[in-house]
Amino acid sequence: MDKHPQAFASREDLDSINRRAWAQPSTVRLYERLQGWTDPGECAAVAYVSDAARGQPILDIGAGAGRTSEFLLPISDRYVAIDYTDGMVRAFRKLHPQVRMEQMDARDLSAFFDEQFALVVFSFNGIDAVDREGRTKVLREVHRVLRPGGRFLFSAHNHEGPGRGESPKVHIPFTWNPIKLGWRSVKAIGALPRSWTNHHRNRQLNESHDGWSIMNAGAHDFGIVVMYTALAEQKRQLREAGFECEVVFDSKRGQPVADGADTRDVFWFHYVARKI
């Protein structure tokens, strides 16, 4: 049964909130510093697709300041990155001037030809930043630009995981260095009022359904609203869009996830889907 504690969040609502969070100079600076894998599952998923995509055209959606380009470019230099925010596009071009980066929305990839890419990547749960209608558009557009047999690698928040429904609290990563610990404490406590303000405002958009939900999330001081999707529901969406889900890796251990597995400790999944 669907539960609607508040009015439905339109695409414009989600876009305005999430774009505002990612447009913040502090967020852009954070993404400029990001390096390496987000988690073991991302590493496993990229390794899974790398051989088939080697030397083939790759599209990197939501590339931010270029973290993912560091491990996708070694697979193929036939690589195009896109992001839909001005600040991230500028940051990417500054850090990677030799790489093609375009400002583009994943819901509209009309600048690309049909069947242009062998691999499309949408990392860091970027697909969750749009509503249900927008998600359907992303899947259809990715399917269109992929070659037959091409793969779509993306990550998405787990509807049954521990991150869904979180609320602000003080979290201070421990260190034996007293200066660092003090600075982290000051930052964590100082961010709490902002987090509660954002949470109070953005949770008005929360809604829950069978297999998926839209919820205020803790990232960027609770400044974003994202979709959480159960494993079975995401596989259903992929089938409906013309994909076969080949394998799913969990974010915690980087292991393949079997149907029916207990995934309540998994924050998000990395899906590898093949265009049928």
Side-chain angles (χ1 to χ4, degrees), residues 227-246:
M227 182 174 286
Y228 294 78
T229 311
L231 186 67
E233 168 61 18
Q234 185 58 74
K235 288 185 175 183
R236 188 200 64 77
Q237 292 176 19
L238 287 167
R239 288 193 301 270
E240 189 174 81
F243 291 95
E244 176 190 4
C245 187
E246 287 192 347

